Every structure is written in structure tokens, then in C-alpha cells.
Amino acid sequence: MAARTDMRHYPGFAVTALACLAILYVPLLVVMVYSFNSSASIQAWEGFSLRWYGEVFTGPEAPIFAAAARNSLSIALLAASAATVIAVAAAVAMVRAGAFRGRGATFALINLPLLVPEIVTAVATLVFFSAIGLTTGYLTILIAHLVFCIPFAYLPIAARLQGIEPVYELAARDLYATRGQAFRLVLLPLMGPGILAGFLLAFIVSLDDFIITSFVKGAGMETLPTAIYGSVKQGIKPDIMAISTMMLAFSILIVSLSWLIGRAGNRTTS
């Protein structure tokens, strides 16, 4: 067996890695730090304060952000729930149905939203809605989010299902369970961690989306990312940094939960 190559020993690897991490995370740290700045200016530090977090809930823009947050949460919940149901059906068909004609094309179609640039998806979605005469608004955002959330829900569910041996279902069938009972009482509970991980991942992807939402939302309809963008166009204010920090913390929490649930599920069948 060939020895594994340790990438850390390559010349320049450490410097390149640190530079990439700095480019990715230093701006986030700056936003987090200045969200606790007592000054209204983002150019000078004048002391620690939670003033701007209070401004998010009581300031003049609080009603706008509250309505946008409700829209974001409701759309994310509905889109992630529907995408998870579709992803479960797709994963069972792809993993348990064996080889069938068009399987490769089906897999490519499921994962197409991950490969196509988001701006292309946004333009195509808007053109489609215009062609069928559907007025942009809450419903169009929901449909668009449902479509691009499916692959994000599918991947952890399919990965979980691939780790479950078919013997569990065969044992249930040997004990006179129907196919439906074997799926509902045996396979579905075993898929539970993957399903929950897929739901959480789809939820946070929908909650944080900006590009597609901005194309299909219509006038007067805002989600939290588009409301933040509209406010930033008038100037970067500390309360925007506070909202961004809260969204970042919430996103990290959801993604971490998704990863931990998926990892715990893999351990139960290993």
C-alpha cells in the first residue's frame, strides 16, 4: 500500500492555508466585533455595548426586519419540509431500486441546482414564472427555494441510506411485513438522522439565500437577506452588523447540528 502524502509538508502549504482562512473569516470577525461597538461609526472603536442589538428589535427599521424575518423563516420551513419529502422519495428510488434506465440522468437532474451558477438559476426561474404568468411574490420565492433545496436535502439522506444494509428490510419482510410496513416501521426510523440533517441543511440554505430571492420576490416582498441588502444600500450601519452577526451565529448552529446529527447516525449503523 502506498504511503499517504501529508499535504502539510509541501512548501508554502501553511502560508496558503492561513491566507485562505484569513480572507474567508477575518471579514466575518470584523463584522462581529464592530456589532458590539458603542459608536455609531464603523471606523472607530469607542467601547463594548449591546446597543445595536437592542436597536434591531426597537429601532426605526425593526418592523421591516421583523416582517422580513417572518417571511424568511416561514419560507425556509415550508421549502425545507417539502424538499425533504421529495429527497426521501428520490433517495429510496436511487439507492434501493437498483439499476434502471436513466438512473445516471436522474442523479444528474437531482444535483443540477448545485452545478448551475446561482445567477443563471435566478434568471431562468424568473423567465419561467413570467412565461406562465405567475406574479412574483411569496409563492414564487417558495417554489424557487423548494427546487434548489432538494439536492441539499438529498445528499445527507442518500448518504445515510447507503450506510443502511438491506438486511433490516429483508428481515422485516421475512416476518410478514408488507413493503410499506418495512419502509415505515424499519427503514424510515433508521433514516431519521439523515432526514433531519438534510432538513436542517435545506432550511439554512433557504434562509440565507439572496440571489435567487432577489430576482423572484417582486415589489414589496422582502426576506431577511434582501431587507439587509436594501438597508446597506443606504449606508452600512452598526445595527446591520448586529443582524448579520445573529444570522451568522444561527447559521453556524444549524449547520453544526446537521453535521452532528449525521455523524451520530453514521455511528449507530457502523
Short mmCIF file of all heavy atoms in Angstrom, two decimals, residues 168-224:
data_model
loop_
_atom_site.label_atom_id
_atom_site.label_comp_id
_atom_site.label_asym_id
_atom_site.label_seq_id
_atom_site.Cartn_x
_atom_site.Cartn_y
_atom_site.Cartn_z
N TYR A 168 -32.04 -5.28 7.08
CA TYR A 168 -33.09 -4.87 8.02
C TYR A 168 -34.47 -4.97 7.35
O TYR A 168 -35.42 -5.47 7.96
CB TYR A 168 -32.84 -3.43 8.48
CG TYR A 168 -31.56 -3.25 9.24
CD1 TYR A 168 -30.44 -2.66 8.64
CD2 TYR A 168 -31.45 -3.64 10.57
CE1 TYR A 168 -29.26 -2.48 9.34
CE2 TYR A 168 -30.27 -3.47 11.28
CZ TYR A 168 -29.18 -2.90 10.66
OH TYR A 168 -28.00 -2.73 11.35
N GLU A 169 -34.56 -4.50 6.14
CA GLU A 169 -35.83 -4.58 5.42
C GLU A 169 -36.17 -6.04 5.07
O GLU A 169 -37.34 -6.44 5.15
CB GLU A 169 -35.76 -3.76 4.15
CG GLU A 169 -35.48 -2.29 4.40
CD GLU A 169 -34.70 -1.66 3.26
OE1 GLU A 169 -35.33 -1.33 2.25
OE2 GLU A 169 -33.48 -1.51 3.40
N LEU A 170 -35.15 -6.81 4.69
CA LEU A 170 -35.39 -8.22 4.36
C LEU A 170 -35.88 -8.99 5.57
O LEU A 170 -36.76 -9.86 5.47
CB LEU A 170 -34.10 -8.85 3.81
CG LEU A 170 -33.62 -8.29 2.46
CD1 LEU A 170 -32.26 -8.91 2.10
CD2 LEU A 170 -34.64 -8.57 1.37
N ALA A 171 -35.31 -8.68 6.74
CA ALA A 171 -35.75 -9.34 7.97
C ALA A 171 -37.20 -9.00 8.27
O ALA A 171 -38.00 -9.86 8.68
CB ALA A 171 -34.86 -8.93 9.14
N ALA A 172 -37.58 -7.75 8.05
CA ALA A 172 -38.97 -7.34 8.28
C ALA A 172 -39.91 -8.05 7.31
O ALA A 172 -41.00 -8.49 7.70
CB ALA A 172 -39.09 -5.84 8.13
N ARG A 173 -39.48 -8.20 6.04
CA ARG A 173 -40.31 -8.89 5.06
C ARG A 173 -40.44 -10.38 5.41
O ARG A 173 -41.51 -10.98 5.23
CB ARG A 173 -39.71 -8.75 3.66
CG ARG A 173 -39.72 -7.33 3.11
CD ARG A 173 -41.11 -6.76 3.00
NE ARG A 173 -42.00 -7.60 2.21
CZ ARG A 173 -42.04 -7.61 0.87
NH1 ARG A 173 -41.27 -6.78 0.20
NH2 ARG A 173 -42.86 -8.41 0.23
N ASP A 174 -39.36 -10.97 5.97
CA ASP A 174 -39.42 -12.36 6.39
C ASP A 174 -40.40 -12.56 7.55
O ASP A 174 -40.92 -13.67 7.75
CB ASP A 174 -38.03 -12.85 6.82
CG ASP A 174 -37.11 -13.04 5.63
OD1 ASP A 174 -37.62 -13.15 4.50
OD2 ASP A 174 -35.87 -13.05 5.82
N LEU A 175 -40.60 -11.49 8.31
CA LEU A 175 -41.55 -11.55 9.43
C LEU A 175 -42.94 -11.06 9.01
O LEU A 175 -43.73 -10.62 9.84
CB LEU A 175 -41.02 -10.70 10.59
CG LEU A 175 -39.72 -11.22 11.23
CD1 LEU A 175 -39.19 -10.23 12.25
CD2 LEU A 175 -39.94 -12.58 11.88
N TYR A 176 -43.21 -11.16 7.69
CA TYR A 176 -44.53 -10.91 7.11
C TYR A 176 -44.94 -9.44 7.11
O TYR A 176 -46.13 -9.12 7.04
CB TYR A 176 -45.61 -11.74 7.83
CG TYR A 176 -45.30 -13.20 7.86
CD1 TYR A 176 -44.84 -13.82 9.02
CD2 TYR A 176 -45.42 -13.98 6.70
CE1 TYR A 176 -44.53 -15.17 9.05
CE2 TYR A 176 -45.10 -15.33 6.72
CZ TYR A 176 -44.65 -15.92 7.89
OH TYR A 176 -44.32 -17.25 7.89
N ALA A 177 -43.97 -8.56 7.16
CA ALA A 177 -44.30 -7.15 6.98
C ALA A 177 -44.46 -6.85 5.49
O ALA A 177 -43.78 -7.43 4.66
CB ALA A 177 -43.19 -6.27 7.56
N THR A 178 -45.39 -5.96 5.17
CA THR A 178 -45.53 -5.53 3.78
C THR A 178 -44.40 -4.57 3.45
O THR A 178 -43.65 -4.13 4.32
CB THR A 178 -46.87 -4.82 3.58
OG1 THR A 178 -46.91 -3.62 4.38
CG2 THR A 178 -48.04 -5.72 3.99
N ARG A 179 -44.28 -4.24 2.16
CA ARG A 179 -43.25 -3.28 1.77
C ARG A 179 -43.45 -1.93 2.46
O ARG A 179 -42.49 -1.30 2.90
CB ARG A 179 -43.27 -3.08 0.25
CG ARG A 179 -42.73 -4.26 -0.54
CD ARG A 179 -42.68 -3.94 -2.02
NE ARG A 179 -42.18 -5.06 -2.80
CZ ARG A 179 -40.89 -5.30 -3.02
NH1 ARG A 179 -39.98 -4.48 -2.53
NH2 ARG A 179 -40.51 -6.34 -3.74
N GLY A 180 -44.70 -1.54 2.54
CA GLY A 180 -45.00 -0.27 3.21
C GLY A 180 -44.65 -0.30 4.68
O GLY A 180 -44.10 0.66 5.23
N GLN A 181 -44.97 -1.41 5.36
CA GLN A 181 -44.65 -1.53 6.77
C GLN A 181 -43.14 -1.60 7.00
O GLN A 181 -42.62 -1.01 7.96
CB GLN A 181 -45.33 -2.77 7.34
CG GLN A 181 -46.84 -2.66 7.46
CD GLN A 181 -47.48 -3.98 7.86
OE1 GLN A 181 -46.98 -5.06 7.51
NE2 GLN A 181 -48.60 -3.88 8.57
N ALA A 182 -42.42 -2.30 6.13
CA ALA A 182 -40.97 -2.39 6.26
C ALA A 182 -40.33 -1.01 6.10
O ALA A 182 -39.38 -0.67 6.81
CB ALA A 182 -40.40 -3.35 5.22
N PHE A 183 -40.88 -0.21 5.18
CA PHE A 183 -40.35 1.13 4.99
C PHE A 183 -40.70 2.03 6.16
O PHE A 183 -39.83 2.72 6.72
CB PHE A 183 -40.89 1.73 3.69
CG PHE A 183 -40.54 3.19 3.51
CD1 PHE A 183 -39.26 3.55 3.12
CD2 PHE A 183 -41.48 4.18 3.74
CE1 PHE A 183 -38.93 4.89 2.95
CE2 PHE A 183 -41.15 5.51 3.58
CZ PHE A 183 -39.88 5.87 3.19
N ARG A 184 -41.97 2.01 6.57
CA ARG A 184 -42.44 2.94 7.59
C ARG A 184 -41.92 2.59 8.98
O ARG A 184 -41.59 3.48 9.77
CB ARG A 184 -43.98 2.94 7.59
CG ARG A 184 -44.61 3.86 8.61
CD ARG A 184 -46.10 4.00 8.35
NE ARG A 184 -46.75 2.71 8.23
CZ ARG A 184 -47.23 2.02 9.27
NH1 ARG A 184 -47.15 2.51 10.50
NH2 ARG A 184 -47.83 0.86 9.07
N LEU A 185 -41.84 1.29 9.31
CA LEU A 185 -41.50 0.88 10.67
C LEU A 185 -40.02 0.54 10.85
O LEU A 185 -39.54 0.53 11.98
CB LEU A 185 -42.35 -0.33 11.08
CG LEU A 185 -43.86 -0.11 11.05
CD1 LEU A 185 -44.59 -1.41 11.38
CD2 LEU A 185 -44.27 0.98 12.04
N VAL A 186 -39.33 0.26 9.77
CA VAL A 186 -37.93 -0.16 9.89
C VAL A 186 -36.98 0.85 9.22
O VAL A 186 -36.11 1.42 9.87
CB VAL A 186 -37.72 -1.56 9.29
CG1 VAL A 186 -36.24 -1.95 9.37
CG2 VAL A 186 -38.59 -2.58 10.02
N LEU A 187 -37.17 1.03 7.91
CA LEU A 187 -36.21 1.84 7.17
C LEU A 187 -36.30 3.32 7.53
O LEU A 187 -35.28 3.98 7.73
CB LEU A 187 -36.43 1.66 5.67
CG LEU A 187 -35.39 2.33 4.75
CD1 LEU A 187 -34.00 1.81 5.06
CD2 LEU A 187 -35.75 2.12 3.29
N LEU A 188 -37.51 3.86 7.63
CA LEU A 188 -37.68 5.28 7.89
C LEU A 188 -37.07 5.71 9.22
O LEU A 188 -36.37 6.74 9.28
CB LEU A 188 -39.16 5.67 7.82
CG LEU A 188 -39.47 7.16 7.68
CD1 LEU A 188 -38.85 7.72 6.41
CD2 LEU A 188 -40.98 7.39 7.67
N PRO A 189 -37.29 4.96 10.34
CA PRO A 189 -36.61 5.35 11.59
C PRO A 189 -35.09 5.31 11.48
O PRO A 189 -34.40 6.16 12.05
CB PRO A 189 -37.13 4.32 12.60
CG PRO A 189 -38.44 3.87 12.05
CD PRO A 189 -38.26 3.87 10.56
N LEU A 190 -34.55 4.34 10.75
CA LEU A 190 -33.11 4.26 10.58
C LEU A 190 -32.58 5.44 9.75
O LEU A 190 -31.45 5.90 9.94
CB LEU A 190 -32.71 2.94 9.90
CG LEU A 190 -32.89 1.67 10.73
CD1 LEU A 190 -32.63 0.43 9.88
CD2 LEU A 190 -31.97 1.69 11.95
N MET A 191 -33.40 5.93 8.84
CA MET A 191 -33.02 7.08 8.04
C MET A 191 -33.19 8.40 8.79
O MET A 191 -32.77 9.45 8.29
CB MET A 191 -33.88 7.13 6.76
CG MET A 191 -33.62 6.02 5.77
SD MET A 191 -34.84 6.04 4.42
CE MET A 191 -34.53 7.67 3.71
N GLY A 192 -33.78 8.35 9.97
CA GLY A 192 -34.12 9.56 10.72
C GLY A 192 -33.00 10.59 10.84
O GLY A 192 -33.21 11.78 10.54
N PRO A 193 -31.80 10.21 11.28
CA PRO A 193 -30.72 11.21 11.40
C PRO A 193 -30.38 11.88 10.07
O PRO A 193 -30.15 13.09 10.02
CB PRO A 193 -29.53 10.38 11.92
CG PRO A 193 -30.17 9.23 12.63
CD PRO A 193 -31.40 8.91 11.84
N GLY A 194 -30.35 11.10 8.99
CA GLY A 194 -30.07 11.67 7.68
C GLY A 194 -31.17 12.61 7.22
O GLY A 194 -30.91 13.66 6.62
N ILE A 195 -32.43 12.24 7.50
CA ILE A 195 -33.56 13.08 7.13
C ILE A 195 -33.50 14.41 7.87
O ILE A 195 -33.68 15.48 7.29
CB ILE A 195 -34.89 12.36 7.40
CG1 ILE A 195 -35.03 11.15 6.47
CG2 ILE A 195 -36.07 13.31 7.24
CD1 ILE A 195 -36.23 10.28 6.78
N LEU A 196 -33.23 14.34 9.17
CA LEU A 196 -33.15 15.57 9.96
C LEU A 196 -31.97 16.44 9.53
O LEU A 196 -32.10 17.67 9.42
CB LEU A 196 -33.03 15.22 11.45
CG LEU A 196 -33.05 16.40 12.44
CD1 LEU A 196 -34.30 17.26 12.22
CD2 LEU A 196 -33.00 15.89 13.87
N ALA A 197 -30.83 15.80 9.24
CA ALA A 197 -29.67 16.55 8.77
C ALA A 197 -29.96 17.22 7.44
O ALA A 197 -29.60 18.38 7.21
CB ALA A 197 -28.46 15.63 8.65
N GLY A 198 -30.64 16.50 6.53
CA GLY A 198 -31.00 17.08 5.24
C GLY A 198 -31.97 18.23 5.38
O GLY A 198 -31.85 19.25 4.69
N PHE A 199 -32.95 18.09 6.28
CA PHE A 199 -33.90 19.17 6.52
C PHE A 199 -33.21 20.42 7.04
O PHE A 199 -33.47 21.54 6.57
CB PHE A 199 -34.97 18.71 7.52
CG PHE A 199 -35.86 19.83 8.00
CD1 PHE A 199 -36.93 20.26 7.24
CD2 PHE A 199 -35.61 20.46 9.21
CE1 PHE A 199 -37.74 21.30 7.66
CE2 PHE A 199 -36.41 21.50 9.65
CZ PHE A 199 -37.48 21.92 8.87
N LEU A 200 -32.32 20.25 8.01
CA LEU A 200 -31.62 21.40 8.59
C LEU A 200 -30.75 22.10 7.54
O LEU A 200 -30.68 23.33 7.50
CB LEU A 200 -30.78 20.96 9.78
CG LEU A 200 -31.55 20.52 11.03
CD1 LEU A 200 -30.59 19.98 12.08
CD2 LEU A 200 -32.37 21.67 11.60
N LEU A 201 -30.07 21.31 6.72
CA LEU A 201 -29.22 21.89 5.69
C LEU A 201 -30.06 22.66 4.67
O LEU A 201 -29.70 23.79 4.28
CB LEU A 201 -28.41 20.80 5.01
CG LEU A 201 -27.31 21.25 4.04
CD1 LEU A 201 -26.33 22.17 4.75
CD2 LEU A 201 -26.59 20.05 3.47
N ALA A 202 -31.17 22.07 4.23
CA ALA A 202 -32.05 22.75 3.29
C ALA A 202 -32.64 24.01 3.91
O ALA A 202 -32.78 25.05 3.25
CB ALA A 202 -33.16 21.82 2.83
N PHE A 203 -32.97 23.94 5.19
CA PHE A 203 -33.55 25.08 5.90
C PHE A 203 -32.60 26.27 5.91
O PHE A 203 -32.98 27.41 5.59
CB PHE A 203 -33.91 24.67 7.33
CG PHE A 203 -34.40 25.80 8.20
CD1 PHE A 203 -35.72 26.20 8.14
CD2 PHE A 203 -33.54 26.45 9.06
CE1 PHE A 203 -36.18 27.25 8.93
CE2 PHE A 203 -33.98 27.49 9.86
CZ PHE A 203 -35.30 27.89 9.79
N ILE A 204 -31.34 26.03 6.26
CA ILE A 204 -30.39 27.14 6.38
C ILE A 204 -30.02 27.68 5.01
O ILE A 204 -29.78 28.88 4.85
CB ILE A 204 -29.14 26.70 7.18
CG1 ILE A 204 -28.44 27.93 7.76
CG2 ILE A 204 -28.18 25.89 6.34
CD1 ILE A 204 -29.27 28.70 8.74
N VAL A 205 -29.98 26.81 3.98
CA VAL A 205 -29.71 27.28 2.61
C VAL A 205 -30.82 28.20 2.14
O VAL A 205 -30.58 29.27 1.55
CB VAL A 205 -29.54 26.08 1.66
CG1 VAL A 205 -29.58 26.53 0.21
CG2 VAL A 205 -28.23 25.36 1.93
N SER A 206 -32.07 27.83 2.42
CA SER A 206 -33.20 28.67 2.05
C SER A 206 -33.19 29.98 2.84
O SER A 206 -33.42 31.06 2.28
CB SER A 206 -34.51 27.92 2.29
OG SER A 206 -35.62 28.78 2.10
N LEU A 207 -32.91 29.90 4.12
CA LEU A 207 -32.94 31.08 4.98
C LEU A 207 -31.92 32.12 4.54
O LEU A 207 -32.17 33.32 4.61
CB LEU A 207 -32.68 30.67 6.43
CG LEU A 207 -32.86 31.74 7.50
CD1 LEU A 207 -34.34 32.10 7.65
CD2 LEU A 207 -32.30 31.26 8.84
N ASP A 208 -30.75 31.66 4.08
CA ASP A 208 -29.66 32.57 3.75
C ASP A 208 -29.62 33.00 2.29
O ASP A 208 -28.77 33.82 1.91
CB ASP A 208 -28.31 31.91 4.10
CG ASP A 208 -28.12 31.75 5.60
OD1 ASP A 208 -28.86 32.41 6.36
OD2 ASP A 208 -27.24 30.97 6.01
N ASP A 209 -30.50 32.46 1.45
CA ASP A 209 -30.40 32.75 0.01
C ASP A 209 -30.73 34.21 -0.28
O ASP A 209 -31.69 34.77 0.26
CB ASP A 209 -31.34 31.86 -0.78
CG ASP A 209 -31.26 32.16 -2.26
OD1 ASP A 209 -30.27 31.74 -2.89
OD2 ASP A 209 -32.16 32.85 -2.77
N PHE A 210 -29.93 34.78 -1.18
CA PHE A 210 -30.17 36.18 -1.58
C PHE A 210 -30.38 36.33 -3.08
O PHE A 210 -31.32 36.98 -3.53
CB PHE A 210 -29.00 37.06 -1.15
CG PHE A 210 -29.05 38.44 -1.75
CD1 PHE A 210 -29.95 39.38 -1.28
CD2 PHE A 210 -28.22 38.79 -2.81
CE1 PHE A 210 -30.02 40.65 -1.84
CE2 PHE A 210 -28.28 40.06 -3.37
CZ PHE A 210 -29.18 40.98 -2.88
N ILE A 211 -29.52 35.70 -3.89
CA ILE A 211 -29.52 35.97 -5.34
C ILE A 211 -30.84 35.56 -5.98
O ILE A 211 -31.51 36.36 -6.65
CB ILE A 211 -28.34 35.26 -6.02
CG1 ILE A 211 -27.02 35.83 -5.51
CG2 ILE A 211 -28.42 35.42 -7.53
CD1 ILE A 211 -25.79 35.16 -6.08
N ILE A 212 -31.23 34.30 -5.79
CA ILE A 212 -32.48 33.83 -6.41
C ILE A 212 -33.67 34.58 -5.84
O ILE A 212 -34.58 34.99 -6.58
CB ILE A 212 -32.63 32.32 -6.21
CG1 ILE A 212 -31.53 31.56 -6.97
CG2 ILE A 212 -34.00 31.84 -6.67
CD1 ILE A 212 -31.54 30.07 -6.77
N THR A 213 -33.66 34.80 -4.54
CA THR A 213 -34.77 35.51 -3.90
C THR A 213 -34.93 36.91 -4.46
O THR A 213 -36.06 37.37 -4.71
CB THR A 213 -34.54 35.57 -2.38
OG1 THR A 213 -34.38 34.26 -1.87
CG2 THR A 213 -35.72 36.24 -1.70
N SER A 214 -33.83 37.62 -4.66
CA SER A 214 -33.91 38.99 -5.14
C SER A 214 -34.50 39.08 -6.55
O SER A 214 -35.09 40.10 -6.92
CB SER A 214 -32.53 39.64 -5.12
OG SER A 214 -31.64 38.99 -6.01
N PHE A 215 -34.38 38.01 -7.33
CA PHE A 215 -34.93 38.00 -8.69
C PHE A 215 -36.43 37.70 -8.70
O PHE A 215 -37.15 38.20 -9.57
CB PHE A 215 -34.19 36.98 -9.55
CG PHE A 215 -32.96 37.52 -10.22
CD1 PHE A 215 -31.80 37.74 -9.50
CD2 PHE A 215 -32.96 37.82 -11.57
CE1 PHE A 215 -30.66 38.24 -10.10
CE2 PHE A 215 -31.83 38.32 -12.19
CZ PHE A 215 -30.67 38.53 -11.45
N VAL A 216 -36.89 36.85 -7.78
CA VAL A 216 -38.26 36.35 -7.88
C VAL A 216 -39.18 36.86 -6.78
O VAL A 216 -40.32 36.44 -6.69
CB VAL A 216 -38.28 34.80 -7.87
CG1 VAL A 216 -37.46 34.24 -9.01
CG2 VAL A 216 -37.77 34.24 -6.53
N LYS A 217 -38.73 37.80 -5.97
CA LYS A 217 -39.53 38.22 -4.81
C LYS A 217 -40.64 39.21 -5.16
O LYS A 217 -41.67 39.26 -4.49
CB LYS A 217 -38.62 38.82 -3.73
CG LYS A 217 -38.00 40.16 -4.10
CD LYS A 217 -37.07 40.65 -3.01
CE LYS A 217 -36.48 42.03 -3.35
NZ LYS A 217 -37.52 43.08 -3.37
N GLY A 218 -40.44 40.02 -6.17
CA GLY A 218 -41.46 41.01 -6.52
C GLY A 218 -41.39 42.23 -5.62
O GLY A 218 -40.73 42.24 -4.58
N ALA A 219 -42.10 43.27 -6.01
CA ALA A 219 -42.10 44.53 -5.26
C ALA A 219 -42.84 44.38 -3.94
O ALA A 219 -43.90 43.76 -3.88
CB ALA A 219 -42.72 45.63 -6.10
N GLY A 220 -42.27 44.95 -2.88
CA GLY A 220 -42.92 44.94 -1.58
C GLY A 220 -42.75 43.68 -0.78
O GLY A 220 -43.19 43.60 0.36
N MET A 221 -42.11 42.68 -1.34
CA MET A 221 -41.88 41.41 -0.65
C MET A 221 -40.41 41.32 -0.28
O MET A 221 -39.55 41.44 -1.14
CB MET A 221 -42.28 40.24 -1.56
CG MET A 221 -42.05 38.88 -0.95
SD MET A 221 -43.14 38.60 0.45
CE MET A 221 -42.40 37.13 1.14
N GLU A 222 -40.13 41.12 1.00
CA GLU A 222 -38.75 41.07 1.45
C GLU A 222 -38.51 39.86 2.35
O GLU A 222 -39.39 39.47 3.13
CB GLU A 222 -38.38 42.33 2.25
CG GLU A 222 -38.49 43.65 1.49
CD GLU A 222 -37.44 43.82 0.41
OE1 GLU A 222 -36.50 43.00 0.35
OE2 GLU A 222 -37.57 44.77 -0.38
N THR A 223 -37.35 39.26 2.17
CA THR A 223 -36.85 38.29 3.14
C THR A 223 -35.71 38.97 3.90
O THR A 223 -35.29 40.09 3.54
CB THR A 223 -36.34 37.02 2.46
OG1 THR A 223 -35.24 37.36 1.59
CG2 THR A 223 -37.44 36.35 1.65
N LEU A 224 -35.19 38.33 4.92
CA LEU A 224 -34.18 38.99 5.75
C LEU A 224 -32.92 39.35 4.94
O LEU A 224 -32.42 40.48 5.07
CB LEU A 224 -33.83 38.10 6.94
CG LEU A 224 -33.15 38.79 8.13
CD1 LEU A 224 -33.90 40.04 8.55
CD2 LEU A 224 -33.05 37.81 9.30
#
